[in-house]
Amino acid sequence: GGSTSEILRVLGGPAIGDIRSRLVRLSRCYLERPGVGSDERRIVHLLEHRLPSEVESAQAEWSKLLEGQHSLYTGLDGAYVQVIQSFLLTFHTEIMRRAVAVDCGLSTEVDGVVGEFGVEAHRRFDFRRASVGNCFFTGVRLHFGSLPAAILMWTRIARVPPETKVLPSVNANFMMTIGAELENGTRLIGQTNISHPPAPTGGTKDTGKLPLPSPVK
C-alpha cells in the first residue's frame, strides 16, 4: 500500500510495515480463540484499516481518527480509544513538525539520514492509503524511542497469543537499507532491487519471476 515508504520518506526510522503485518496476523490468531471479547475484534479491525485513496477523503478520515469521532471507534471501550488516539496524535504532531521545518527552510537531515531520503523527508505526509496500524505503531515508537516498546504495546492493546514472543531482527530507531553482493560482482542496494531485480537488458524492474542475475556471494 506504500504506507511504510511514505513514513520512511517523512520520518525516517526503521521500516515497520512487515512487523505490523506479522503482528496483525498474530492478533488474528488470538481472535480465533473462544471467549475473545468484542473490544479486541474492534481494535484489530481499526488497526487493519487503510485510509481512502482520494486526498480529501483520506484527510477527513484522519481528522476523525484524531478527534476520536471515527465510526471505527464505535462500541470500543473509551480507555482503548484514548490510548489509540493519543499515539495517533503523537504521530501527527511529528509529521506536522517536519512539514513546518521545510516551510521554514530548516535542515533536511532526518534521524541522521541525508541524501536519498533527506531532501524529501520534510515534505507533507501523503495520507492516501495510509495504514492506521502503521501510524499507530510509529506513534508508539516515537513516544518511547524504542522499537521493542512499540511491539510490546501492540501485543497488549491488539493482543497476540500470550505464548508468542515477537522480536525484531534489527533493533534500531533509524533507517537501514539492506544490500546484497552477487558472485558476479554486482551490488544490489534496497529491498526492491533484491526482490524485483532489473531485467538483464536494464529498464524497469521485473514482476518478481526473474531470478537474480547471479547467486548471492
Side-chain angles (χ1 to χ4, degrees):
S3 180
T4 297
S5 61
E6 183 65 5
I7 291 174
L8 286 174
R9 184 183 71 83
V10 176
L11 298 177
I16 48 82
D18 288 342
I19 299 175
R20 188 265 311 159
S21 66
R22 299 319 185 264
L23 288 168
V24 166
R25 183 167 297 183
L26 287 171
S27 295
R28 281 186 168 276
C29 291
Y30 180 84
L31 294 181
E32 294 174 359
R33 299 186 174 189
V36 174
S38 59
D39 277 336
E40 287 87 349
R41 298 183 185 281
R42 291 190 178 99
I43 290 170
V44 173
H45 180 60
L46 189 157
L47 294 178
E48 284 185 306
H49 183 69
R50 283 189 181 273
L51 300 181
S53 56
E54 196 275 328
V55 174
E56 292 184 1
S57 297
Q59 292 177 339
E61 269 205 32
W62 179 250
S63 294
K64 289 182 179 180
L65 285 165
L66 295 180
E67 295 165 1
Q69 302 300 316
H70 199 286
S71 59
L72 288 170
Y73 291 131
T74 302
L76 192 59
D77 184 274
Y80 284 121
V81 174
Q82 291 175 0
V83 170
I84 295 170
Q85 186 182 9
S86 66
F87 288 118
L88 293 181
L89 283 166
T90 297
F91 174 82
H92 184 78
T93 299
E94 188 60 25
I95 62 175
M96 289 299 99
R97 186 176 73 85
R98 302 300 172 95
V100 170
V102 73
D103 289 342
C104 295
L106 300 180
S107 170
T108 59
E109 182 172 342
V110 179
D111 291 343
V113 178
V114 293
E116 182 181 1
F117 285 91
V119 174
E120 297 187 355
H122 291 300
R123 291 181 180 176
R124 289 177 177 81
F125 189 83
D126 185 353
F127 285 100
R128 291 176 297 175
R129 299 294 297 161
S131 161
V132 175
N134 280 357
C135 297
F136 169 79
F137 192 91
T138 302
V140 178
R141 182 189 66 80
L142 291 170
H143 177 80
F144 292 108
S146 167
L147 185 58
I151 294 173
L152 178 62
M153 176 60 75
W154 183 291
T155 63
R156 293 294 186 268
I157 195 168
R159 305 295 181 89
V160 300
E163 66 274 13
T164 304
K165 192 172 184 64
V166 180
L167 299 172
S169 58
V170 177
N171 182 9
N173 276 319
F174 51 85
M175 187 178 65
M176 302 185 72
T177 302
I178 65 173
E181 183 175 359
L182 309 184
E183 289 184 353
N184 66 0
T186 300
R187 291 184 177 182
L188 300 176
I189 306 300
Q191 179 179 339
T192 301
N193 287 325
I194 298 171
S195 59
H196 298 77
T201 57
T204 58
K205 296 178 177 58
D206 68 28
T207 60
K209 296 180 181 179
L210 294 177
L212 292 171
S214 174
V216 176
K217 186 175 181 180

